[in-house]
Amino acid sequence: REISFTIISMTLSLAAVFIPVMFMGGILGRLLNEFAITVVAAIIVSGFVSLTLTPMMCSRYIKPHTAANTSAFYRVTERGFEAMLHAYDTSLIWCLRHQFFVLMVFFGTIFLTAWLYVIIPKDFLPAEDTGRLNVSTQGAQDASFENMVRHQSEVAKIFAADPNIDGYMSRLGGGGARRGSNAGQFVLKLKPKAQRGGKDIHTVVRELRRKVRRVTGMSVRINNPPAIRIGGRTSKAAYQYTLQGLDLDQIYEVAQRFQTALAQEPGFLDVSSDAEIASPQLIVHIDRNKAAAVGVSVEQIELALASAYGDQEVTTIYTPSEQYKVILEVAPKFREDTTALSQLYVRGAGGNLVQLSAVTTVTRSVGPLSVNHQGQLPAVTVTFNLSSELSLGAAIDRIRQLESQLKKPAAITASFQGTAQAFQKSFQGLGLLLVMAMLVVYLVLGILYESFIHPLTILSGLPSAGVGALLTLMAFGETLNLFSFVGIIMLIGIVKKNAIMMIDFALVNQREDKASPRDAIYRACIVRFRPIMMTTFAAIMGSLPIALGHGAGAESRRPLGIAVVGGLILSQLLTLYLTPVIYIYLDRVQTWLSQRRSKGEANPAPAPAE
């Protein structure tokens, strides 16, 4: 009878926290939808069990504590609890005597929460040791396939000799429009962490970067892929920043300046772009008059060049067990010699052979290896990785500063792509999600208590939980990312149970025993001290294994556990003193509003004269 309404309030308000998450759209909605549904279902079922099965089991199994049936461990822990209760009683009386000071501490927690939210490093998804690394290699823009094979083999030898790598896959060329003939790729499979001497994936990446710098003639970029891939575009690094416009030369000029400036910034690694505009080219100019005079068409010239240098598939040889593609091309020594163009012949009028150099002239030039587009507009994408000391949020802020410093022309638009773009959109939605969660909880509590004031008292412990979560994340070097934000949302539901247990008891005490607000909340704090401590310690112990982080993928879950544990510890210390004081102040506000309402009803407006 005493606790049933408290359980209903805690269950419904905790489930209400995740209602906005269930109906959220975008990438956040897709990532958190199943999580929210699972948590809500578990909360509702546990509330039902607490009101039905638990009382029945208590009636069967709980026995009175007497000196005969209590253990030494119980007596020791009970004496410890009595000492804690006495200390809390003494400190609570002091706080109730200095209510204004405690109120200022409450406003201080609100300010500190907002300030910590601004300064804490922000990220989208934490780096995770998946045991896999992606490596992109890039040679010179005039590198031949044979040259790329030689350099790729040098890099492969380094990976094969590394004791932390279990195996690798190597690939050259192809791979989509953004991967040219001078590009390659490795996929590295790492040994389990226990077989690496305890080295984390960041240490392995740093060691490999030092080793591959010895390979000349090839740029090697090592990337730890995120556990959840955002966006379907492939790139040389984890983050992309795209410049678009109509003037291709202007885009190349701005992208080059931006890439150079970004590479000089601390914390930015493997800065590169897909603007490869210095590729050597041979331009064949056809003298149409001479070609027509000897009976050679433009199509014949194009076909001769394509057959000599174009990797044209002409037929397939079938055997009983295999099939082989037949590629038409000149011998490799002629493919590497630009003067070999003069040795090509085409058929002229009457079947005579005409030397290609007789009807064409060849000039040397440079140009783009490929012209990339995005949304039908020419685009250049600058890619980069980040060191473990630089968060994605700080990197985006620095890039925005570089934009203004470089005075980007208005005709060129710039935007983040992939993970960086999802990070920007997600943190805009996360703030709204937090506000909506608190609003839904306030509405549910307002309906349950039939009051606009008491839900504010219950929610007054949230700032202290936010301070504890953010301070703990910063103390352990973690960022505010998607997982730690989920932990903060969970805190909204967990922390308010302390205030609910206090306020339920105080309201009954005021209503039935006619106690003053101060005496009612004081008695509620003392009586409910044990269940408050029990439920808080149970929640902390349940979250501690996640915060300690052990096993595969522990790096991504650790921020969630750290946020919950840190928020619970600090909020437990503060809400035991803040909630009683806030209750007294808001009760005064409610009394003042009731008096004004009663005065208005007692003195109705005079009726107009006839």
Side-chain angles (χ1 to χ4, degrees):
R1 285 196 299 269
E2 181 179 332
I3 205 73
S4 59
F5 184 77
T6 304
I7 293 175
I8 293 173
S9 300
M10 293 168 60
T11 301
L12 294 181
S13 59
L14 182 54
V17 172
F18 295 93
I19 291 177
V21 182
M22 292 170 60
F23 295 98
M24 193 171 187
I27 183 66
L28 277 180
R30 294 196 296 272
L31 289 176
L32 302 179
N33 183 264
E34 293 87 351
F35 170 78
I37 294 174
T38 305
V39 171
V40 169
I43 291 168
I44 294 175
V45 171
S46 68
F48 178 77
V49 170
S50 299
L51 292 172
T52 55
L53 179 63
T54 304
M56 184 276 295
M57 296 182 68
C58 290
S59 68
R60 296 291 186 272
Y61 296 108
I62 287 185
K63 299 178 181 179
H65 291 292
T66 61
N69 65 359
T70 55
S71 63
F73 176 78
Y74 170 80
R75 292 191 291 271
V76 170
T77 55
E78 191 67 16
R79 283 195 294 269
F81 173 76
E82 293 295 338
M84 291 174 57
L85 180 60
H86 176 72
Y88 174 59
D89 190 2
T90 304
S91 56
L92 178 61
I93 292 174
W94 186 91
C95 289
L96 293 177
R97 289 174 181 170
H98 302 82
Q99 296 178 16
F100 183 76
F101 172 77
V102 177
L103 184 64
M104 291 300 101
V105 172
F106 168 70
F107 287 116
T109 59
I110 296 177
F111 171 78
L112 190 58
T113 301
W115 182 66
L116 290 174
Y117 180 80
V118 172
I119 67 169
I120 189 172
K122 300 176 182 64
D123 209 339
F124 182 56
L125 292 170
E128 184 175 327
D129 191 346
T130 60
R132 183 172 69 91
L133 293 174
N134 290 342
V135 182
S136 65
T137 58
Q138 186 172 14
Q141 296 184 33
D142 60 345
S144 64
F145 183 78
E146 290 75 13
N147 184 272
M148 286 295 299
V149 169
R150 185 169 62 254
H151 289 308
Q152 189 90 344
S153 299
E154 293 182 37
V155 178
K157 291 178 182 177
I158 295 176
F159 292 152
D162 192 280
N164 301 312
I165 297 177
D166 192 30
Y168 65 87
M169 184 197 74
S170 177
R171 172 181 179 177
L172 270 178
R178 294 182 179 270
R179 188 178 300 279
S181 59
N182 66 329
Q185 183 183 21
F186 283 94
V187 177
L188 307 182
K189 179 185 176 184
L190 303 182
K191 294 180 180 178
K193 193 173 182 179
Q195 300 179 21
R196 296 184 234 145
K199 294 180 182 178
D200 60 17
I201 199 162
H202 302 293
T203 304
V204 174
V205 170
R206 284 195 296 268
E207 292 179 355
L208 290 176
R209 281 183 176 139
R210 286 195 297 267
K211 292 178 180 179
V212 296
R213 287 195 191 108
R214 300 196 301 263
V215 180
T216 58
M218 177 174 278
S219 175
V220 183
R221 300 173 179 87
I222 303 174
N223 176 34
N224 177 24
I228 303 174
R229 184 184 177 92
I230 306 297
R233 121 176 354 199
T234 58
S235 65
K236 305 169 187 175
Y239 307 106
Q240 303 100 38
Y241 179 77
T242 300
L243 300 166
Q244 290 179 277
L246 295 174
D247 190 336
L248 194 59
D249 294 333
Q250 189 181 52
I251 296 175
Y252 286 150
E253 190 269 331
V254 173
Q256 183 61 43
R257 288 194 290 120
F258 178 80
Q259 180 182 346
T260 303
L262 191 65
Q264 297 173 355
E265 291 291 326
F268 288 88
L269 306 173
D270 304 329
V271 180
S272 64
S273 76
D274 58 3
E276 298 176 324
I277 58 176
S279 176
Q281 296 179 342
L282 293 179
I283 301 177
V284 180
H285 300 275
I286 302 174
D287 190 330
R288 295 178 179 268
N289 293 328
K290 291 182 179 179
V294 295
V296 175
S297 66
V298 174
E299 182 182 3
Q300 287 178 281
I301 298 175
E302 291 179 351
L303 181 60
L305 292 173
S307 301
Y309 303 103
D311 296 339
Q312 181 181 355
E313 181 183 332
V314 292
T315 187
T316 303
I317 298 175
Y318 296 95
T319 66
S321 60
E322 296 289 346
Q323 60 184 30
Y324 303 93
K325 305 293 184 182
V326 178
I327 306 299
L328 178 63
E329 61 180 24
V330 297
K333 64 178 181 179
F334 296 112
R335 293 173 65 89
E336 298 176 2
D337 186 6
T338 57
T339 61
L341 281 172
S342 61
Q343 303 179 38
L344 292 178
Y345 289 82
V346 292
R347 292 281 180 185
N352 297 322
L353 290 176
V354 178
Q355 194 172 13
L356 194 64
S357 59
V359 293
T360 62
T361 56
V362 179
T363 58
R364 293 178 179 271
S365 179
V366 293
L369 193 62
S370 62
V371 178
N372 297 306
H373 290 73
Q374 180 171 301
Q376 298 183 347
L377 291 177
V380 173
T381 298
V382 179
T383 59
F384 57 93
N385 289 322
L386 299 176
S387 65
S388 56
E389 293 79 18
L390 184 64
S391 66
L392 180 55
I396 290 177
D397 293 338
R398 186 57 192 145
I399 289 175
R400 293 304 186 196
Q401 294 175 8
L402 285 178
E403 279 185 6
S404 58
Q405 294 174 7
L406 295 175
K407 298 179 180 179
K408 177 178 64 66
I412 295 179
T413 60
S415 62
F416 290 94
Q417 303 295 326
T419 303
Q421 184 185 52
F423 167 81
Q424 286 186 306
K425 294 181 178 179
S426 297
F427 263 79
Q428 294 172 358
L430 284 175
L432 177 62
L433 176 62
L434 194 62
V435 173
M436 291 300 298
M438 290 189 290
L439 179 61
V440 171
V441 171
Y442 174 80
L443 293 175
V444 171
L445 292 173
I447 294 171
L448 291 172
Y449 288 95
E450 297 181 350
S451 170
F452 295 104
I453 297 297
H454 295 310
L456 295 177
T457 311
I458 294 172
L459 295 176
S460 62
L462 297 184
S464 60
V467 172
L470 297 176
L471 280 178
T472 311
L473 287 171
M474 296 176 69
F476 283 89
E478 299 288 349
T479 61
L480 180 61
N481 51 55
L482 180 62
F483 292 98
S484 52
F485 211 98
V486 169
I488 293 175
I489 293 175
M490 293 178 65
L491 280 175
I492 296 176
I494 299 174
V495 168
K496 60 181 174 46
K497 55 90 183 169
N498 293 357
I500 290 177
M501 284 193 277
M502 293 180 190
I503 291 170
D504 277 354
F505 190 97
L507 290 175
V508 172
N509 200 239
Q510 277 188 264
R511 184 171 58 250
E512 296 182 357
D513 300 337
K514 307 302 179 184
S516 66
R518 185 185 185 281
D519 294 339
I521 194 64
Y522 169 76
R523 187 182 175 196
C525 292
I526 299 302
V527 173
R528 292 289 172 85
F529 181 71
R530 183 188 291 268
I532 287 174
M533 297 299 293
M534 289 169 57
T535 52
T536 301
F537 276 116
I540 291 175
M541 291 299 124
S543 304
L544 201 57
I546 304 176
L548 295 176
H550 180 72
E555 298 85 0
S556 61
R557 298 188 299 269
R558 188 180 295 122
L560 187 152
I562 289 175
V564 173
V565 172
L568 284 175
I569 291 175
L570 187 61
S571 66
Q572 177 72 7
L573 295 174
L574 293 181
T575 54
L576 288 173
Y577 303 102
L578 293 179
T579 301
V581 173
I582 299 297
Y583 177 85
I584 295 172
Y585 273 106
L586 290 180
D587 186 83
R588 294 172 186 170
V589 173
Q590 187 176 31
T591 303
W592 177 74
L593 292 174
S594 300
Q595 290 174 351
R596 287 199 60 183
R597 192 181 303 111
S598 300
K599 185 177 180 180
E601 294 174 355
N603 299 306
E610 296 181 2

